[in-house]
């Protein structure tokens, strides 16, 4: 049976990529060994990591003012690492738009001074607060932190706030899903497992001058300069994760790059929200202007029906549609690798389920 996996993360990867990885697993480029058996300093892996960095730079149109780094520990490690490197006695501002942004704020508040400048928590994070309602970020703030796509609540920034301090974005669940101007950011980071590859690794894109703020006494492995000066090869990096990221980004290029992918992502989201708007059986709590094009959340008329829906959908090959345990209901994550056919199959199933239970 054809399965469409709507998991929020780790999430489905392009089928073509999985097949290449499988074909090369035991014998990488006729080396006689698998890539995970090869030295991270050898010729084969050097080509892989250089390609991964070049692909990220090309796809996101990143200038030489920025480093692209691969760092272990996922996005959650970045919550602490960025505060350790960039607070430096100052106060950092945080937009509280979801459970992940709240966790990021807590890490910074634990390490130094952090302040929440806006929050939609009282409304279960159902929207991104209008920028005009945010407390102004002073010029001496360390940075302003946002979460560009809120994976759990299903909200997403359409535009980004403009501030005089470095804007830092957790883009874990929408990196490379749409065109962004990297120059608007001091730093962008993302756990790889939503859109770019396996879990356990973060991609960090950072303006080089920000590294001057790092306190000298930080542990070597927690300094950004360690990764930048050693091309993410200070110690043994997660070679297989970097390899898969190179393959996934090769695939993005073959799809025509991020602008082309964004177009398809918009079409997928428009179709799914269009269907949700056409029926009263399924309702989405997310405010229209804040709807995420990556994580679409909805609920049915009762929790029993939510559970029955998820169960029957799974049996029909539409998996991982259960909403996050904090919000309940259902969630379909439709990242870059989800084809339109998956969204069509989901809508067909939803229609048919409503007919039987509505
Ligand atoms: C998944 C996710 C994280 C956590 O990523 P880990 O790699 O598990 O630490 C952080 N932020 C956002 C927006 C996410 O979607």
């Amino acid at each position: 049976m054809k399965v469409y996996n709507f998991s929020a993360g780790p999430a489905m990867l392009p089928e073509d990529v999985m097949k290449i990885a499988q074909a090369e697993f035991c014998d990488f480029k006729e080396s006689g060994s698998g890539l995970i058996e090869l030295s991270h300093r050898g010729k084969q892996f050097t080509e892989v990591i250089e390609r991964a960095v070049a692909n990220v730079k090309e796809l996101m149109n990143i200038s030489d003012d920025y480093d692209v780094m691969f760092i272990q520990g996922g996005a959650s490690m970045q919550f602490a690492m960025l505060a350790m490197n960039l607070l430096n006695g100052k106060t950092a501002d945080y937009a509280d738009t979801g459970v992940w942004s709240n966790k990021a704020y807590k890490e910074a508040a634990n390490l130094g001074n952090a302040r929440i400048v806006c929050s939609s928590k009282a409304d279960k994070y159902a929207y991104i607060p209008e920028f005009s309602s945010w407390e102004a970020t002073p010029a001496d703030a360390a940075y302003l932190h946002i979460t560009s796509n809120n994976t759990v609540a299903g909200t997403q920034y359409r535009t980004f706030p403009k501030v005089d301090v470095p804007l830092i974005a957790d883009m874990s669940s929408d990196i490379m899903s749409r065109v962004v101007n990297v120059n608007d950011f001091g730093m962008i980071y993302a756990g790889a497992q939503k859109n770019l590859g396996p879990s356990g690794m973060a991609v960090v894109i950072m303006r080089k001058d920000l590294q001057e703020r790092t306190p000298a006494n930080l542990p070597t492995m927690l300094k950004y300069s360690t990764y930048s000066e050693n091309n993410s090869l200070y110690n043994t990096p997660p070679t297989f994760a970097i390899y898969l990221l190179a393959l996934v980004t090769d695939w993005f290029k073959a799809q025509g790059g991020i602008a082309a992918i964004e177009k398809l992502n918009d079409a997928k989201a428009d179709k799914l929200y269009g269907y949700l708007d056409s029926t009263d059986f399924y309702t989405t709590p997310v405010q229209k202007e804040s709807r995420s094009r990556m994580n679409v959340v909805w609920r049915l008329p009762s929790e029993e029906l939510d559970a029955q829906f998820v169960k029957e959908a799974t049996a029909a090959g539409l998996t991982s549609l259960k909403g996050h345990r904090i919000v309940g209901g259902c969630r379909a994550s439709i990242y870059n690798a989800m084809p339109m056919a998956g969204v069509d199959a989901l809508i067909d199933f939803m229609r048919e389920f409503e007919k039987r239970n509505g």
Side-chain angles (χ1 to χ4, degrees):
M1 177 176 59
K2 174 79 198 157
V3 167
Y4 290 108
N5 170 10
F6 293 91
S7 171
M12 73 172 286
L13 294 176
E15 201 176 326
D16 295 347
V17 166
M18 296 293 278
K19 286 190 173 142
I20 295 170
Q22 181 185 44
E24 293 185 337
F25 189 71
C26 293
D27 184 7
F28 181 72
K29 311 256 188 241
E30 294 172 0
S31 64
S33 295
L35 182 84
I36 56 173
E37 303 172 301
L38 292 169
S39 166
H40 58 296
R41 312 251 175 233
K43 162 168 129 312
Q44 285 102 342
F45 183 71
T46 301
E47 189 276 325
V48 167
I49 191 168
E50 284 176 355
R51 195 169 91 238
V53 171
N55 282 354
V56 173
K57 284 192 167 163
E58 181 183 331
L59 285 162
M60 294 181 74
N61 199 14
I62 299 171
S63 83
D64 289 338
D65 295 340
Y66 289 78
D67 283 311
V68 174
M69 301 173 273
F70 302 123
I71 303 181
Q72 304 195 43
S76 300
M77 174 70 98
Q78 291 308 305
F79 295 165
M81 193 166 158
L82 74 92
M84 290 170 120
N85 281 266
L86 300 180
L87 274 180
N88 213 352
K90 294 183 177 180
T91 298
D93 281 359
Y94 279 77
D96 178 30
T97 58
V99 295
W100 293 115
S101 62
N102 200 270
K103 282 188 172 173
Y105 159 74
K106 281 188 179 137
E107 287 292 327
N110 179 46
L111 289 156
N113 296 319
R115 179 174 85 118
I116 287 180
V117 293
C118 69
S119 179
S120 48
K121 191 174 184 176
D123 297 301
K124 296 187 174 150
Y125 294 123
Y127 63 96
I128 308 283
E130 289 260 5
F131 299 150
S132 59
S133 72
W134 294 25
E135 281 185 53
T137 288
D140 64 351
Y143 54 81
L144 170 64
H145 181 280
I146 62 167
T147 311
S148 58
N149 183 76
N150 296 279
T151 325
V152 174
T155 65
Q156 187 177 28
Y157 287 72
R158 294 262 73 80
T159 58
F160 300 108
K162 298 227 174 332
V163 281
D164 296 328
V165 300
L167 180 62
I168 296 188
D170 175 359
M171 291 196 185
S172 291
S173 48
D174 68 350
I175 191 165
M176 295 199 210
S177 71
R178 56 172 166 172
V179 175
V180 298
N181 183 359
V182 172
N183 292 322
D184 290 342
F185 298 87
M187 171 177 155
I188 292 168
Y189 65 98
Q193 70 273 28
K194 274 84 185 215
N195 230 356
L196 305 178
S199 59
M201 179 175 88
V203 177
V204 177
I205 300 158
M206 187 179 202
R207 221 174 62 207
K208 287 177 176 161
D209 62 284
L210 294 178
Q211 288 162 27
E212 289 158 20
R213 301 182 182 196
T214 299
N217 65 347
L218 276 194
T220 309
M221 285 294 287
L222 295 176
K223 283 181 179 166
Y224 288 112
S225 56
T226 301
Y227 296 85
S228 120
E229 285 161 14
N230 297 284
N231 300 319
S232 302
L233 287 161
Y234 171 75
N235 76 328
T236 319
T239 56
F240 194 67
I242 292 168
Y243 162 65
L244 274 186
L245 185 139
L247 291 181
V248 169
T249 48
D250 283 345
W251 186 84
F252 290 172
K253 280 163 60 177
Q255 305 307 300
I258 304 304
I261 287 172
E262 176 173 17
K263 219 164 151 196
L264 180 59
N265 284 338
D266 284 352
K268 287 184 301 187
D270 283 346
K271 209 182 235 185
L272 189 46
Y273 284 116
Y275 172 66
L276 285 172
D277 286 341
S278 75
T279 144
D280 296 328
F281 185 69
Y282 303 99
T283 49
T284 172
V286 177
Q287 242 182 37
K288 219 167 190 168
E289 305 72 47
S290 299
R291 286 174 171 179
S292 167
R293 332 224 96 211
M294 296 280 100
N295 311 99
V296 181
V297 303
W298 68 87
R299 49 179 75 256
L300 287 83
S302 71
E303 281 181 24
E304 290 69 37
L305 280 169
D306 285 342
Q308 191 189 329
F309 177 89
V310 170
K311 195 172 153 208
E312 290 184 20
T314 306
L318 305 166
T319 65
S320 297
L321 285 165
K322 193 172 186 313
H324 190 280
R325 61 197 146 80
I326 301 172
V327 294
C330 303
R331 168 176 58 177
S333 297
I334 47 174
Y335 302 122
N336 292 5
M338 178 60 67
M340 184 62 95
V343 173
D344 288 335
L346 174 60
I347 293 172
D348 284 348
F349 178 82
M350 290 172 81
R351 222 178 242 131
E352 185 259 340
F353 188 89
E354 177 179 358
K355 222 175 264 166
R356 280 189 284 114
N357 298 280

